[in-house]
Amino acid sequence: MSLPGHRALLAAYPARLRRKHGTELIQTMLEMAGPGGRPTRADRGRLVLDGLRERFRPPARRPLALVAAVLALLIGGALGAAAGSWLGTFGYAALPDADAIAHQVLPPTSTGLTSTFYLQADGPFPAGADARQAAEQTRDKLAAAGWRTGPIKAGDGSDGTLANVHFAAETADTRLDVYAYPDAGGGRLLDIAGWPKRPASYLPLTIAGTLLGLVAGWLTGVALCHRIRMAGRPRRSALLAGIGLVLIIPSAAGFVASLLRYLTVADPLGTGELVHAHGFAFGPTIDLLRSLDLGEGWFLSPGDLQQLPIWGFALIAVAALLARPGLPLQDRDRAGDREAVA
């Protein structure tokens, strides 16, 4: 079997085993090659499966290392879900122009503003109309413009919004919420808020990202645990890696909760539910924090929870760099596991 053929099979094994048992592995491959000069397809398959099994195997009899690998698995899944759902946002349709909507369905003095994932338009009630009449007239105009409109509902303010009359309107790509209510100054305001509807590709991309992230997270966690176990000063690296994982967990959990809320909520609350409203995000949305009474007044804001993973991943990277073997592997095997990290 040629040298490239050896390398292709050896690549299935983790680096720690290639460094320690590379000669023995090559000798085994040569013995399996036989007169034909290369192992059979079945033998090659067994070698690859054996190498992959070693990549997935955490350190034996190290419960804390197993806990760290499980945390890495979960964080990897959350990060994969974030990447997949972020890619899904590229399927969002372009929003209609808010100014055009305002001029079409609201009184003449109304204005509108459109951003990437959000549109907003507002104006006064039509002359002589109360809140319900204003909502009905706006709904009729939207229906005439081709929007599918829902029933008019009344809100008593118990949901945190001023007492109001509201309804929803949709096209295939956009959702609008229309509210008629008194504003903070006592005036009467018609408000339209809109955002893109979730495209069909969003969920498959999110699921694919999650699965890939789970695999990558487990492999990374296992590799890091083995590296730290063989380090000259494992406790230092283990401490840094542990702190890094702890810093990442709140943002990962917050993002997953926000994503599940976005995927399952029956009546979206607005742009605050979009997990990537301002670009790639890996943390909770403001609407999730508000639902838990942890809004802007809490000691950690959504921005803070976006920063924590950066510090966490940086500490884990430092831990991996510091986890250099202190002894040749053969000597370390004879020395036992006295300094091994749990």
Side-chain angles (χ1 to χ4, degrees):
M1 184 170 59
S2 65
L3 185 59
H6 285 108
R7 288 175 175 170
L9 291 176
L10 282 173
Y13 288 84
R16 68 180 189 278
L17 287 183
R18 295 199 302 269
R19 288 193 300 266
K20 183 178 179 181
H21 299 295
T23 302
E24 293 92 328
L25 287 170
I26 292 176
Q27 184 62 39
T28 299
M29 293 176 192
L30 291 174
E31 292 174 357
M32 296 173 70
R38 59 185 295 118
T40 65
R41 180 177 298 179
D43 288 336
R44 293 198 301 272
R46 282 193 292 271
L47 286 170
V48 170
L49 288 176
D50 183 61
L52 294 178
R53 184 168 57 248
E54 288 298 325
R55 287 185 178 274
F56 280 88
R57 183 178 61 83
R61 297 184 299 279
R62 295 294 187 271
L64 291 183
L66 180 60
V67 170
V70 171
L71 290 177
L73 167 81
L74 299 176
I75 290 172
L79 193 59
S85 58
W86 175 68
L87 289 175
T89 65
F90 289 91
Y92 284 149
L95 291 172
D97 182 66
D99 254 335
I101 293 176
H103 295 154
Q104 189 175 31
V105 304
L106 297 179
T109 58
S110 303
T111 58
L113 176 66
T114 305
S115 62
T116 305
F117 296 140
Y118 186 64
L119 69 83
Q120 193 270 336
D122 58 54
F125 286 8
D130 59 20
R132 177 166 288 276
Q133 291 169 338
E136 288 175 346
Q137 292 179 29
T138 305
R139 186 179 65 165
D140 291 343
K141 291 178 181 179
L142 284 170
W147 291 80
R148 298 188 303 273
T149 58
I152 292 179
K153 303 177 182 179
D156 59 7
S158 59
D159 59 354
T161 305
L162 294 171
N164 63 84
V165 177
H166 63 274
F167 67 91
E170 294 182 345
T171 63
D173 301 318
T174 306
R175 155 84 179 226
L176 298 180
D177 271 354
V178 182
Y179 279 77
Y181 55 81
D183 64 19
R188 298 183 299 173
L189 183 70
L190 269 171
D191 181 79
I192 299 177
W195 54 93
K197 296 177 69 175
R198 192 167 60 243
S201 61
Y202 192 96
L203 185 58
L205 286 171
T206 301
I207 293 174
T210 302
L211 295 176
L212 291 174
L214 288 170
V215 173
W218 178 260
L219 289 175
T220 302
V222 166
L224 182 60
C225 288
H226 280 291
R227 182 177 175 87
I228 291 176
R229 180 174 180 269
M230 301 304 295
R233 299 179 64 181
R235 299 184 191 280
R236 177 181 60 183
S237 294
L239 179 61
L240 289 175
I243 294 173
L245 289 172
V246 169
L247 289 177
I248 298 169
I249 288 171
S251 298
F255 173 81
V256 171
S258 298
L259 180 62
L260 291 174
R261 182 179 171 95
Y262 173 61
L263 292 174
T264 59
V265 67
D267 187 17
L269 301 179
T271 190
E273 296 287 1
L274 300 180
V275 293
H276 301 291
H278 305 290
F280 179 81
F282 188 57
T285 61
I286 186 61
D287 277 18
L288 175 68
L289 293 181
R290 287 170 179 165
S291 71
L292 300 174
D293 292 329
L294 301 175
E296 292 87 341
W298 195 44
F299 68 95
L300 285 179
S301 69
D304 297 327
L305 290 167
Q306 294 286 346
Q307 296 295 320
L308 283 180
I310 297 175
W311 293 102
F313 285 122
L315 286 178
I316 291 173
V318 171
L321 291 173
L322 293 177
R324 298 187 299 269
L327 294 171
L329 291 176
Q330 297 88 340
D331 297 339
R332 191 166 181 82
D333 285 342
R334 289 193 293 269
D337 296 328
R338 291 189 300 272
E339 294 184 279
V341 62

